Amino acid sequence: HVQLVESGGGSVQTGGSLKLSCAVSTFSVRCMAWFRQVGGKGRERVAVIYDDRSLTYYADSVKGRFAISQDNAKYTVYLQMNSLKPEDTALYYCAATGRIGCLIAGPREYDYWGQGTQVTVS
């Protein structure tokens, strides 16, 4: 039983920042990640935190601008987004899975998803 709830999305100007939050019912999962989706396209893996949250991965498109982290006390995972660009506009989802292979796992391997939060950059 894992529940995820995202928040923090909104509209910002190019170059601005947003911090997304994902409240998690448990951290007893192997991988936690942020994905984003534009229109009818497939969900793109943006950031992953794994190895007991000690390691992170970022898509090349956001590397150096986004940072994934977690607060154990608050049971929350964050995605700090800086230097936002119009191409970052998307519906952002947090996701979790207990499967092995966090750097390989794509949307199909993630078992738990939040409802999504919209980010619009213009």
Side-chain angles (χ1 to χ4, degrees):
H1 178 68
V2 179
Q3 294 182 320
L4 311 175
V5 181
E6 305 100 328
S7 63
S11 298
V12 299
Q13 296 295 111
T14 298
S17 299
L18 281 175
K19 188 174 185 178
L20 306 183
S21 298
C22 177
V24 188
S25 63
T26 179
F27 278 150
S28 297
V29 292
R30 187 175 299 276
C31 329
M32 295 202 68
W34 286 94
F35 289 79
R36 64 187 182 187
Q37 184 174 36
V38 179
K41 294 184 177 181
R43 295 182 181 183
E44 174 192 12
R45 187 175 61 178
V46 175
V48 184
I49 186 165
Y50 62 107
D51 273 8
D52 199 24
R53 320 306 180 243
S54 65
L55 297 175
T56 58
Y57 158 87
Y58 299 96
D60 288 341
S61 59
V62 306
K63 192 173 299 181
R65 299 188 297 119
F66 290 12
I68 187 171
S69 62
Q70 71 175 37
D71 185 325
N72 292 330
K74 296 181 178 180
Y75 275 73
T76 302
V77 176
Y78 303 97
L79 184 67
Q80 177 66 51
M81 305 185 295
N82 300 319
S83 302
L84 285 163
K85 306 174 182 179
E87 49 263 48
D88 294 318
T89 295
L91 186 62
Y92 284 72
Y93 297 89
C94 61
T97 183
R99 306 190 193 193
I100 297 174
C102 298
L103 293 183
I104 300 173
R108 297 172 67 87
E109 283 69 55
Y110 279 78
D111 303 305
Y112 309 102
W113 295 85
Q115 82 287 354
T117 185
Q118 179 68 38
V119 172
T120 301
V121 186
S122 61

